[in-house]
Amino acid sequence: MPKQINSTFRPAWWLKSPHLQTLWPVFLRRRPQLPLQHERLELADGDFIDLAFHPRPDSPLVLVIHGLEGSLESHYAKTLLLALHKAGFASVFMHLRGCSGTPNRLASSYHSGRTADVAEVLTHLRNTGRQADAAVGFSLGGNLILKYAGETEAESGLKAVVAVSIPFQLEECARKLEKGFSVIYGRYLTGKLKAAYRNKFSQMPSPLPLNINTVGTIFDFDDQITATLNGFDGAHDYYTRSSSRQFLKNIQTPTLIIHAQDDPFMYPSTAPTEAMLSDDVTLELTTHGGHVGFVSGRVPWRAEYWLETRIIEWLQMQLR
């Protein structure tokens, strides 16, 4: 299979704009109610991660990881868990630290490079007889799973990976969210990050001598807060060490990356070239799709969600 393929995805003609692709499912897609089983994993460092299982006996298990400030309520979360269940898969949703509705215990936080948490979750699943066969990550969660697969190479423990709408170069993406219409997304995400910071440090003293109200962009937040709390020397160091693009060449797990060239969170050039991919990585580029959008459909107001169909198709091919 070629390393880079042109996608069959065609956007709904009435949702061709990258912004409509991005925003339609956020505001207009219904979230299903699912009979999930919740479990809290106590981490070795004294913190915790909350997991949500959609079990299906004797079925392959798929780990799902959300994006920046995402959760089970993200538009792609429960909808994918339901689609996976209908297709014959069990699934487990991994809330990154502090994203399940309860602030995490430590001053440090989740971030784009914290693959040790992914490893600890996968080890926990394996040790409790629930080996994860595959992983699907969205945006920041996709960056995490690609970095993890590249770091562990043949020892990832996974048989398949899917990563969607990835900020392959974190600093470039942070700066893109300071320009043009993308500023709207940047302000929204910065607001969510600041609210989570205020909530967490209303319950414990913050180790940082800063006025959170002066933080205006994601770059500022990462430079003054994310990097400092997690042992990086500023945002540039954090972005350099955590961006997934440098790890793609080492991946030895069959991996599908789905990426839209009109993603408003980044530039068309943010995506890797074929030369940057290992032989086990397939980059599926779409012309349209926005950020975790990929909404198709021929009839106005009757949207179809191509992304789930494509993810399941790939997983079935790899895990059959």
Side-chain angles (χ1 to χ4, degrees), residues 233-250:
D233 185 18
H236 181 70
D237 179 47
Y238 162 48
Y239 293 149
T240 299
R241 290 163 58 185
S242 301
S243 294
S244 60
R245 194 165 81 162
Q246 62 196 306
F247 296 94
L248 300 176
K249 196 71 176 175
N250 299 328

Side-chain angles (χ1 to χ4, degrees), residues 293-306:
F294 304 98
V295 185
S296 58
R298 296 182 178 180
V299 181
W301 306 104
R302 292 181 62 181
E304 298 173 9
Y305 296 95
W306 170 87

Side-chain angles (χ1 to χ4, degrees), residues 236-292:
H236 181 70
D237 179 47
Y238 162 48
Y239 293 149
T240 299
R241 290 163 58 185
S242 301
S243 294
S244 60
R245 194 165 81 162
Q246 62 196 306
F247 296 94
L248 300 176
K249 196 71 176 175
N250 299 328
I251 293 175
Q252 296 181 31
T253 302
T255 296
L256 174 66
I257 299 172
I258 300 172
H259 189 77
Q261 291 176 306
D262 69 352
D263 190 320
F265 284 44
M266 53 203 87
Y267 299 98
S269 60
T270 303
T273 64
E274 281 194 76
M276 298 173 184
L277 309 176
S278 79
D279 291 338
D280 292 298
V281 177
T282 299
L283 174 62
E284 181 162 349
L285 282 176
T286 70
T287 304
H288 304 283
H291 189 74
V292 197

Side-chain angles (χ1 to χ4, degrees), residues 105-154:
R105 298 179 189 133
L106 303 183
S108 62
S109 64
Y110 79 93
H111 60 77
S112 296
R114 196 158 196 163
T115 48
D117 285 359
V118 177
E120 195 160 351
V121 166
L122 290 172
T123 298
H124 167 70
L125 293 172
R126 184 168 58 251
N127 290 344
T128 53
R130 298 171 291 182
Q131 170 83 38
D133 297 283
V136 179
F138 295 91
S139 198
L140 182 150
N143 187 84
L144 270 175
I145 202 64
L146 291 175
K147 180 173 179 283
Y148 169 79
E151 289 171 339
T152 54
E153 299 184 359

